Short mmCIF file of all heavy atoms in Angstrom, two decimals:
data_model
loop_
_atom_site.label_atom_id
_atom_site.label_comp_id
_atom_site.label_asym_id
_atom_site.label_seq_id
_atom_site.Cartn_x
_atom_site.Cartn_y
_atom_site.Cartn_z
N ALA A 71 16.35 -0.73 -37.38
CA ALA A 71 15.36 -1.72 -36.74
C ALA A 71 14.17 -1.01 -36.18
O ALA A 71 14.35 0.18 -35.82
CB ALA A 71 16.01 -2.69 -35.91
N GLN A 72 13.15 -1.61 -36.01
CA GLN A 72 11.94 -1.07 -35.42
C GLN A 72 11.21 -2.13 -34.56
O GLN A 72 10.93 -3.21 -35.11
CB GLN A 72 10.96 -0.44 -36.38
CG GLN A 72 9.73 0.16 -35.81
CD GLN A 72 9.92 1.42 -34.93
OE1 GLN A 72 10.74 2.27 -35.33
NE2 GLN A 72 9.35 1.45 -33.76
N ILE A 73 10.98 -1.82 -33.30
CA ILE A 73 10.18 -2.75 -32.49
C ILE A 73 8.79 -2.63 -32.96
O ILE A 73 8.11 -1.49 -32.73
CB ILE A 73 10.34 -2.52 -31.03
CG1 ILE A 73 11.81 -2.84 -30.59
CG2 ILE A 73 9.33 -3.35 -30.17
CD1 ILE A 73 12.08 -2.45 -29.15
N PRO A 74 8.06 -3.64 -33.42
CA PRO A 74 6.79 -3.44 -34.00
C PRO A 74 5.72 -3.12 -32.97
O PRO A 74 4.67 -2.48 -33.25
CB PRO A 74 6.45 -4.83 -34.67
CG PRO A 74 7.31 -5.74 -34.03
CD PRO A 74 8.53 -5.07 -33.63
N THR A 75 5.89 -3.52 -31.79
CA THR A 75 4.89 -3.25 -30.69
C THR A 75 5.25 -2.02 -29.79
O THR A 75 4.67 -1.89 -28.73
CB THR A 75 4.77 -4.53 -29.83
OG1 THR A 75 6.13 -4.85 -29.37
CG2 THR A 75 4.17 -5.71 -30.63
N ASP A 76 6.25 -1.28 -30.22
CA ASP A 76 6.79 -0.19 -29.33
C ASP A 76 5.71 0.65 -28.68
O ASP A 76 4.85 1.21 -29.39
CB ASP A 76 7.72 0.75 -30.16
CG ASP A 76 8.42 1.63 -29.30
OD1 ASP A 76 8.69 1.35 -28.16
OD2 ASP A 76 8.91 2.67 -29.85
N GLY A 77 5.75 0.70 -27.37
CA GLY A 77 4.81 1.57 -26.64
C GLY A 77 3.43 0.99 -26.46
O GLY A 77 2.58 1.52 -25.63
N GLN A 78 3.05 -0.11 -27.14
CA GLN A 78 1.71 -0.68 -26.96
C GLN A 78 1.54 -1.25 -25.56
O GLN A 78 0.39 -1.59 -25.23
CB GLN A 78 1.48 -1.68 -28.05
CG GLN A 78 1.48 -1.14 -29.51
CD GLN A 78 1.29 -2.26 -30.56
OE1 GLN A 78 0.75 -3.32 -30.25
NE2 GLN A 78 1.72 -1.95 -31.82
N TRP A 79 2.64 -1.49 -24.84
CA TRP A 79 2.51 -2.10 -23.49
C TRP A 79 2.34 -1.10 -22.41
O TRP A 79 2.24 -1.51 -21.24
CB TRP A 79 3.72 -2.90 -23.29
CG TRP A 79 5.02 -2.13 -23.46
CD1 TRP A 79 5.50 -1.23 -22.64
CD2 TRP A 79 5.91 -2.16 -24.51
NE1 TRP A 79 6.70 -0.61 -23.08
CE2 TRP A 79 6.97 -1.28 -24.32
CE3 TRP A 79 5.95 -2.98 -25.73
CZ2 TRP A 79 8.07 -1.01 -25.20
CZ3 TRP A 79 7.09 -2.80 -26.56
CH2 TRP A 79 8.11 -1.89 -26.35
N ASP A 80 2.33 0.16 -22.69
CA ASP A 80 2.38 1.23 -21.58
C ASP A 80 1.29 1.11 -20.62
O ASP A 80 1.45 1.08 -19.41
CB ASP A 80 2.36 2.66 -22.30
CG ASP A 80 3.59 3.00 -23.03
OD1 ASP A 80 4.64 2.20 -22.84
OD2 ASP A 80 3.59 3.92 -23.64
N ASP A 81 0.05 1.02 -21.05
CA ASP A 81 -1.10 0.89 -20.17
C ASP A 81 -1.05 -0.39 -19.32
O ASP A 81 -1.32 -0.33 -18.13
CB ASP A 81 -2.46 1.05 -20.89
CG ASP A 81 -2.69 2.39 -21.48
OD1 ASP A 81 -2.05 3.38 -21.02
OD2 ASP A 81 -3.51 2.45 -22.39
N ALA A 82 -0.73 -1.48 -19.98
CA ALA A 82 -0.72 -2.74 -19.24
C ALA A 82 0.46 -2.80 -18.18
O ALA A 82 0.26 -3.35 -17.15
CB ALA A 82 -0.49 -3.92 -20.29
N GLU A 83 1.52 -2.12 -18.52
CA GLU A 83 2.67 -2.06 -17.59
C GLU A 83 2.22 -1.29 -16.35
O GLU A 83 2.50 -1.77 -15.26
CB GLU A 83 3.92 -1.31 -18.25
CG GLU A 83 5.16 -1.24 -17.29
CD GLU A 83 6.15 -0.27 -17.81
OE1 GLU A 83 5.91 0.50 -18.65
OE2 GLU A 83 7.23 -0.28 -17.27
N LEU A 84 1.63 -0.20 -16.50
CA LEU A 84 1.21 0.52 -15.29
C LEU A 84 0.29 -0.29 -14.49
O LEU A 84 0.27 -0.31 -13.19
CB LEU A 84 0.52 1.92 -15.70
CG LEU A 84 -0.02 2.71 -14.52
CD1 LEU A 84 1.03 3.05 -13.55
CD2 LEU A 84 -0.74 4.01 -15.05
N GLU A 85 -0.79 -0.93 -15.18
CA GLU A 85 -1.69 -1.74 -14.37
C GLU A 85 -1.02 -2.82 -13.62
O GLU A 85 -1.29 -3.05 -12.53
CB GLU A 85 -2.69 -2.33 -15.43
CG GLU A 85 -3.79 -3.10 -14.81
CD GLU A 85 -4.88 -2.30 -14.23
OE1 GLU A 85 -4.77 -1.09 -14.19
OE2 GLU A 85 -5.97 -2.83 -13.80
N LEU A 86 -0.02 -3.58 -14.23
CA LEU A 86 0.63 -4.62 -13.48
C LEU A 86 1.40 -4.10 -12.30
O LEU A 86 1.47 -4.71 -11.27
CB LEU A 86 1.41 -5.44 -14.42
CG LEU A 86 2.84 -5.11 -14.87
CD1 LEU A 86 3.91 -5.48 -13.93
CD2 LEU A 86 3.18 -5.68 -16.31
N MET A 87 2.02 -2.94 -12.52
CA MET A 87 2.91 -2.33 -11.49
C MET A 87 1.95 -1.91 -10.26
O MET A 87 2.39 -2.09 -9.09
CB MET A 87 3.70 -1.15 -11.92
CG MET A 87 4.86 -1.63 -12.75
SD MET A 87 6.08 -0.27 -13.07
CE MET A 87 5.20 0.89 -14.08
N LEU A 88 0.81 -1.35 -10.52
CA LEU A 88 -0.09 -0.93 -9.50
C LEU A 88 -0.52 -2.11 -8.61
O LEU A 88 -0.45 -2.15 -7.37
CB LEU A 88 -1.36 -0.26 -9.99
CG LEU A 88 -1.10 1.11 -10.66
CD1 LEU A 88 -2.35 1.56 -11.40
CD2 LEU A 88 -0.72 2.13 -9.63
N PHE A 89 -0.88 -3.27 -9.27
CA PHE A 89 -1.20 -4.51 -8.52
C PHE A 89 0.00 -5.06 -7.76
O PHE A 89 -0.09 -5.35 -6.54
CB PHE A 89 -1.79 -5.52 -9.60
CG PHE A 89 -3.14 -5.49 -9.79
CD1 PHE A 89 -3.64 -4.82 -10.90
CD2 PHE A 89 -4.08 -6.06 -8.99
CE1 PHE A 89 -5.00 -4.72 -11.22
CE2 PHE A 89 -5.47 -6.05 -9.23
CZ PHE A 89 -5.97 -5.28 -10.42
N GLU A 90 1.13 -5.20 -8.40
CA GLU A 90 2.30 -5.78 -7.87
C GLU A 90 2.90 -4.99 -6.75
O GLU A 90 3.48 -5.51 -5.79
CB GLU A 90 3.35 -6.19 -8.97
CG GLU A 90 2.78 -7.32 -9.86
CD GLU A 90 3.84 -7.75 -10.80
OE1 GLU A 90 4.91 -7.11 -10.98
OE2 GLU A 90 3.49 -8.70 -11.65
N PHE A 91 2.82 -3.66 -6.88
CA PHE A 91 3.34 -2.75 -5.80
C PHE A 91 2.72 -3.05 -4.47
O PHE A 91 3.33 -3.28 -3.49
CB PHE A 91 3.22 -1.36 -6.24
CG PHE A 91 3.80 -0.37 -5.13
CD1 PHE A 91 5.13 -0.37 -4.86
CD2 PHE A 91 2.93 0.44 -4.48
CE1 PHE A 91 5.68 0.56 -3.90
CE2 PHE A 91 3.39 1.32 -3.55
CZ PHE A 91 4.73 1.36 -3.24
N LYS A 92 1.45 -3.02 -4.52
CA LYS A 92 0.72 -3.17 -3.26
C LYS A 92 0.96 -4.60 -2.65
O LYS A 92 1.34 -4.67 -1.46
CB LYS A 92 -0.78 -2.99 -3.47
CG LYS A 92 -1.68 -3.25 -2.21
CD LYS A 92 -3.14 -3.05 -2.46
CE LYS A 92 -3.96 -3.36 -1.19
NZ LYS A 92 -5.41 -3.15 -1.57
N ALA A 93 0.87 -5.54 -3.46
CA ALA A 93 1.10 -6.88 -2.98
C ALA A 93 2.59 -7.13 -2.49
O ALA A 93 2.72 -7.67 -1.38
CB ALA A 93 0.71 -7.93 -4.04
N GLY A 94 3.51 -6.71 -3.27
CA GLY A 94 4.85 -6.88 -2.88
C GLY A 94 5.39 -6.09 -1.73
O GLY A 94 6.11 -6.59 -0.87
N LEU A 95 4.90 -4.80 -1.71
CA LEU A 95 5.30 -3.97 -0.66
C LEU A 95 4.78 -4.43 0.73
O LEU A 95 5.53 -4.49 1.72
CB LEU A 95 4.83 -2.51 -0.89
CG LEU A 95 5.18 -1.55 0.22
CD1 LEU A 95 6.62 -1.37 0.41
CD2 LEU A 95 4.49 -0.24 -0.02
N GLU A 96 3.43 -4.84 0.67
CA GLU A 96 2.91 -5.29 2.08
C GLU A 96 3.51 -6.64 2.48
O GLU A 96 3.65 -6.84 3.66
CB GLU A 96 1.38 -5.40 1.85
CG GLU A 96 0.74 -4.05 1.79
CD GLU A 96 -0.80 -4.06 1.67
OE1 GLU A 96 -1.37 -5.14 1.52
OE2 GLU A 96 -1.41 -3.03 1.84
N ARG A 97 3.86 -7.49 1.49
CA ARG A 97 4.65 -8.68 1.88
C ARG A 97 5.99 -8.35 2.48
O ARG A 97 6.33 -8.95 3.54
CB ARG A 97 4.75 -9.58 0.70
CG ARG A 97 5.59 -10.85 0.99
CD ARG A 97 5.49 -11.70 -0.31
NE ARG A 97 6.20 -13.03 -0.17
CZ ARG A 97 7.48 -13.29 -0.41
NH1 ARG A 97 8.24 -12.19 -0.88
NH2 ARG A 97 7.95 -14.43 -0.14
N TYR A 98 6.71 -7.36 1.94
CA TYR A 98 8.00 -7.02 2.48
C TYR A 98 7.87 -6.42 3.88
O TYR A 98 8.61 -6.82 4.79
CB TYR A 98 8.69 -6.02 1.45
CG TYR A 98 9.96 -5.43 2.15
CD1 TYR A 98 11.20 -6.00 1.87
CD2 TYR A 98 9.91 -4.26 2.98
CE1 TYR A 98 12.36 -5.45 2.48
CE2 TYR A 98 11.02 -3.75 3.52
CZ TYR A 98 12.28 -4.31 3.24
OH TYR A 98 13.44 -3.88 3.85
N LEU A 99 6.93 -5.51 4.00
CA LEU A 99 6.74 -4.81 5.32
C LEU A 99 6.35 -5.80 6.37
O LEU A 99 6.92 -5.75 7.57
CB LEU A 99 5.70 -3.71 5.20
CG LEU A 99 6.02 -2.59 4.28
CD1 LEU A 99 4.77 -1.70 4.01
CD2 LEU A 99 7.15 -1.77 4.76
N ALA A 100 5.49 -6.78 6.04
CA ALA A 100 5.10 -7.72 7.10
C ALA A 100 6.23 -8.71 7.48
O ALA A 100 6.47 -9.02 8.64
CB ALA A 100 3.90 -8.54 6.64
N ARG A 101 6.94 -9.20 6.42
CA ARG A 101 8.00 -10.18 6.66
C ARG A 101 9.21 -9.59 7.46
O ARG A 101 9.88 -10.27 8.24
CB ARG A 101 8.55 -10.65 5.34
CG ARG A 101 7.58 -11.69 4.59
CD ARG A 101 8.25 -12.25 3.37
NE ARG A 101 9.55 -13.04 3.74
CZ ARG A 101 10.43 -13.28 2.88
NH1 ARG A 101 10.40 -12.85 1.64
NH2 ARG A 101 11.53 -13.98 3.23
N HIS A 102 9.33 -8.24 7.32
CA HIS A 102 10.52 -7.59 8.02
C HIS A 102 10.06 -6.86 9.27
O HIS A 102 10.92 -6.21 9.90
CB HIS A 102 11.20 -6.62 7.08
CG HIS A 102 11.92 -7.37 5.90
ND1 HIS A 102 11.36 -7.91 4.80
CD2 HIS A 102 13.29 -7.47 5.70
CE1 HIS A 102 12.27 -8.38 4.01
NE2 HIS A 102 13.35 -8.15 4.52
N ASP A 103 8.83 -7.07 9.68
CA ASP A 103 8.31 -6.46 10.90
C ASP A 103 8.65 -4.89 10.87
O ASP A 103 9.10 -4.34 11.90
CB ASP A 103 8.96 -7.12 12.08
CG ASP A 103 8.19 -6.75 13.43
OD1 ASP A 103 6.99 -6.39 13.32
OD2 ASP A 103 8.79 -6.80 14.47
N ALA A 104 8.29 -4.22 9.82
CA ALA A 104 8.52 -2.85 9.64
C ALA A 104 7.45 -2.11 10.54
O ALA A 104 6.47 -2.68 10.94
CB ALA A 104 8.29 -2.42 8.16
N PRO A 105 7.73 -0.87 10.85
CA PRO A 105 6.87 -0.03 11.67
C PRO A 105 5.51 0.25 11.08
O PRO A 105 4.63 0.56 11.68
CB PRO A 105 7.64 1.30 11.99
CG PRO A 105 8.63 1.31 10.87
CD PRO A 105 9.01 -0.07 10.55
N VAL A 106 5.37 0.18 9.77
CA VAL A 106 4.12 0.26 9.05
C VAL A 106 4.00 -1.08 8.21
O VAL A 106 4.95 -1.64 7.78
CB VAL A 106 4.03 1.40 8.15
CG1 VAL A 106 3.90 2.74 8.89
CG2 VAL A 106 5.19 1.49 7.17
N LYS A 107 2.71 -1.56 8.12
CA LYS A 107 2.57 -2.93 7.57
C LYS A 107 1.73 -2.85 6.20
O LYS A 107 1.79 -3.86 5.57
CB LYS A 107 1.81 -3.77 8.55
CG LYS A 107 2.52 -4.05 9.89
CD LYS A 107 3.89 -4.72 9.72
CE LYS A 107 4.40 -5.29 11.12
NZ LYS A 107 4.77 -4.16 11.87
N THR A 108 1.10 -1.83 6.03
CA THR A 108 0.21 -1.81 4.85
C THR A 108 0.40 -0.56 4.02
O THR A 108 0.83 0.56 4.58
CB THR A 108 -1.32 -1.94 5.17
OG1 THR A 108 -1.73 -0.77 5.92
CG2 THR A 108 -1.54 -3.18 6.06
N LEU A 109 -0.05 -0.57 2.78
CA LEU A 109 -0.02 0.68 1.91
C LEU A 109 -1.03 1.69 2.51
O LEU A 109 -0.74 2.91 2.43
CB LEU A 109 -0.40 0.27 0.58
CG LEU A 109 -0.33 1.40 -0.53
CD1 LEU A 109 0.97 2.17 -0.42
CD2 LEU A 109 -0.53 0.86 -1.90
N SER A 110 -2.19 1.23 3.04
CA SER A 110 -3.04 2.19 3.66
C SER A 110 -2.46 2.96 4.80
O SER A 110 -2.69 4.21 4.97
CB SER A 110 -4.38 1.46 4.18
OG SER A 110 -5.09 0.98 3.08
N GLN A 111 -1.67 2.22 5.62
CA GLN A 111 -1.01 2.92 6.72
C GLN A 111 0.08 3.95 6.22
O GLN A 111 0.27 5.00 6.83
CB GLN A 111 -0.24 1.93 7.62
CG GLN A 111 -1.25 1.06 8.43
CD GLN A 111 -0.54 -0.01 9.21
OE1 GLN A 111 0.63 -0.28 9.07
NE2 GLN A 111 -1.30 -0.71 10.06
N LEU A 112 0.80 3.64 5.09
CA LEU A 112 1.72 4.59 4.54
C LEU A 112 0.97 5.79 4.06
O LEU A 112 1.44 6.90 4.15
CB LEU A 112 2.49 3.87 3.45
CG LEU A 112 3.66 2.92 3.86
CD1 LEU A 112 4.20 2.25 2.68
CD2 LEU A 112 4.75 3.78 4.56
N ILE A 113 -0.16 5.58 3.34
CA ILE A 113 -0.96 6.78 2.81
C ILE A 113 -1.32 7.55 4.03
O ILE A 113 -1.23 8.83 3.94
CB ILE A 113 -2.13 6.24 2.06
CG1 ILE A 113 -1.66 5.61 0.71
CG2 ILE A 113 -3.15 7.33 1.82
CD1 ILE A 113 -2.78 4.85 0.00
N GLY A 114 -1.82 6.96 5.12
CA GLY A 114 -2.21 7.72 6.33
C GLY A 114 -1.01 8.53 6.92
O GLY A 114 -1.21 9.66 7.35
N TYR A 115 0.16 7.86 6.90
CA TYR A 115 1.34 8.58 7.39
C TYR A 115 1.64 9.85 6.61
O TYR A 115 1.92 10.90 7.12
CB TYR A 115 2.54 7.62 7.42
CG TYR A 115 3.79 8.18 7.99
CD1 TYR A 115 4.21 8.07 9.28
CD2 TYR A 115 4.62 8.98 7.15
CE1 TYR A 115 5.35 8.66 9.79
CE2 TYR A 115 5.78 9.61 7.63
CZ TYR A 115 6.14 9.36 9.00
OH TYR A 115 7.24 9.99 9.43
#
């Protein structure tokens, strides 16, 4: 068998993860009252 679209999703997958990581992480940190609240603060740390 062969997946006809194999690997064609690679760039799109990275793009969606970059967007969703920032949004999801900051939501988690804020809801749980973590010591850092934003991705910018983590980069700074």
